[in-house]
Amino acid sequence: MNPRISIIVPCYMQAQYLGEALQSVYEQSFQEWECIIVNDGSLDNTEEVAQKWVNRDSRFTYLSKENGGLSSARNFGISHSSGEFILPLDADDYISKNYVADALHSFAQDASLKLVYCKAEKFGSQSGLWKLPIFSLSNLSKNNMIFCSAVFKKSDWNSVGGYDVKMNHGWEDWEFWISLLKNGGNVKQLETIGFYYRVKEVSMVKQLDQPKKEALLQYMSIKHSEFYVKQLGSYKKLNDDVENTKDEFKRILKSKKFVCDLFFKTFFGFTLFGKYKKQ
């Protein structure tokens, strides 16, 4: 069988969740898939769990490498894949049984698509629908609204150079979507819930402190400077917008102080923001 889609599952110290993720792959209604499990230097029993699935179904493949981070693990798995399409899936999440079928049907219907994702639901320490902003390039320049498990073409992954291994503290999927979409191509969000995101008390995202965030944002702003200027305007315009906003807040605050002072001076004989006034 020649797989049409390759599902890439990096795993680092997540063996306790891996089986649930792989079960959701195994139950896909679309059958022409391969699943590549990448052990990114785990010290737990990831290999043991993975081998059970390899022995169960030949569409599962197990690979192992030294720890290099999420971008490195995804790139490693994709480089060994043979599918036309790629679906990354983190080892602690899972997908619905029709997600792959629905996504590939969308690509078949619209040749302009570069990315297909779906609605998502949280589980674990939080639950409920994951409400994400509507996609636009302008919104993407400000925040990420597409989770890592979206479907794209392997040829597009190759054309942008894959996931950037310099995004080693997080947000690698956000940076990859910008690389993938900034020069054109459409995006579709399916109306169905196809992705289930595990929320944990401790996670890579929650451990992303302010200095790391600033370093990642600085790197992205330099790498994709033309994209940010096109979507947000020049750096001078951004600075002018900030200064104008500050001036407006000062004007509003001054106006409120004036009204309060006038009220208290008239009825109580003193001001809140000025000196004491006797009648």
Side-chain angles (χ1 to χ4, degrees), residues 163-269:
Y163 288 89
D164 192 333
V165 295
K166 292 182 180 179
M167 301 291 293
N168 56 349
H169 295 303
W171 293 348
E172 68 292 322
D173 48 339
W174 183 16
E175 192 280 327
F176 180 67
W177 304 144
I178 292 174
S179 296
L180 194 69
L181 300 169
K182 66 181 182 180
N183 293 320
N186 290 325
V187 176
K188 179 177 180 179
Q189 183 183 36
L190 303 171
E191 291 300 319
T192 53
I193 297 174
F195 176 66
Y196 297 86
Y197 176 71
R198 187 186 301 271
V199 182
K200 294 176 288 188
E201 294 298 331
V202 178
S203 67
M204 183 176 176
V205 173
K206 291 181 179 179
Q207 292 178 327
L208 193 59
D209 58 27
Q210 194 59 34
K212 290 177 181 177
K213 288 180 181 179
E214 290 177 357
L216 290 173
L217 288 172
Q218 184 178 38
Y219 175 74
M220 289 171 63
S221 67
I222 294 172
K223 180 177 179 179
H224 302 293
S225 57
E226 291 184 6
F227 167 74
Y228 282 111
V229 169
K230 183 176 180 180
Q231 297 303 320
L232 301 175
S234 67
Y235 299 119
K236 184 177 187 309
K237 181 181 180 300
L238 290 174
N239 184 69
D240 289 345
D241 289 344
V242 170
E243 293 301 321
N244 290 336
T245 300
K246 288 181 179 178
D247 290 342
E248 180 64 15
F249 279 132
K250 288 178 181 178
R251 185 192 66 77
I252 293 172
L253 183 59
K254 185 176 180 180
S255 176
K256 288 182 178 180
K257 287 180 178 179
F258 175 77
V259 172
C260 289
D261 270 352
L262 182 62
F263 174 81
F264 280 94
K265 179 181 178 181
T266 301
F267 293 100
F268 301 103

Side-chain angles (χ1 to χ4, degrees), residues 30-258:
F30 184 85
Q31 295 292 302
E32 296 172 32
W33 54 263
E34 68 174 352
C35 180
I36 300 177
I37 309 157
V38 180
N39 184 347
D40 190 34
S42 295
L43 302 176
D44 59 9
N45 62 325
T46 292
E47 181 173 358
E48 178 186 354
V49 174
Q51 286 293 351
K52 289 180 180 179
W53 288 92
V54 172
N55 295 336
R56 182 176 182 178
D57 193 310
S58 61
R59 291 174 294 179
F60 288 100
T61 300
Y62 172 73
L63 301 175
S64 181
K65 62 183 286 296
E66 291 184 1
N67 180 255
L70 196 48
S71 290
S72 174
R74 285 184 186 151
N75 287 339
F76 185 76
I78 296 171
S79 68
H80 285 80
S81 69
S82 54
E84 177 186 359
F85 293 92
I86 302 295
L87 171 61
L89 176 63
D90 286 351
D92 54 347
D93 301 325
Y94 66 92
I95 53 177
S96 70
K97 66 178 183 179
N98 292 320
Y99 183 27
V100 169
D102 292 343
L104 294 185
H105 177 74
S106 294
F107 276 106
Q109 296 294 312
D110 186 352
S112 72
L113 288 176
K114 269 196 174 179
L115 193 66
V116 174
Y117 67 117
C118 59
K119 295 188 183 298
E121 191 170 292
K122 297 178 182 180
F123 72 102
S125 62
Q126 295 180 24
S127 61
L129 186 67
W130 189 0
K131 297 180 180 179
L132 297 166
I134 296 174
F135 170 80
S136 70
L137 287 178
S138 178
N139 285 341
L140 186 64
S141 69
K142 301 166 188 172
N143 287 291
N144 188 21
M145 72 290 301
I146 304 175
F147 41 78
C148 67
S149 292
V151 180
F152 53 89
K153 293 179 181 179
K154 183 178 179 179
S155 58
D156 287 330
W157 166 84
N158 189 61
S159 68
V160 302
Y163 288 89
D164 192 333
V165 295
K166 292 182 180 179
M167 301 291 293
N168 56 349
H169 295 303
W171 293 348
E172 68 292 322
D173 48 339
W174 183 16
E175 192 280 327
F176 180 67
W177 304 144
I178 292 174
S179 296
L180 194 69
L181 300 169
K182 66 181 182 180
N183 293 320
N186 290 325
V187 176
K188 179 177 180 179
Q189 183 183 36
L190 303 171
E191 291 300 319
T192 53
I193 297 174
F195 176 66
Y196 297 86
Y197 176 71
R198 187 186 301 271
V199 182
K200 294 176 288 188
E201 294 298 331
V202 178
S203 67
M204 183 176 176
V205 173
K206 291 181 179 179
Q207 292 178 327
L208 193 59
D209 58 27
Q210 194 59 34
K212 290 177 181 177
K213 288 180 181 179
E214 290 177 357
L216 290 173
L217 288 172
Q218 184 178 38
Y219 175 74
M220 289 171 63
S221 67
I222 294 172
K223 180 177 179 179
H224 302 293
S225 57
E226 291 184 6
F227 167 74
Y228 282 111
V229 169
K230 183 176 180 180
Q231 297 303 320
L232 301 175
S234 67
Y235 299 119
K236 184 177 187 309
K237 181 181 180 300
L238 290 174
N239 184 69
D240 289 345
D241 289 344
V242 170
E243 293 301 321
N244 290 336
T245 300
K246 288 181 179 178
D247 290 342
E248 180 64 15
F249 279 132
K250 288 178 181 178
R251 185 192 66 77
I252 293 172
L253 183 59
K254 185 176 180 180
S255 176
K256 288 182 178 180
K257 287 180 178 179
F258 175 77

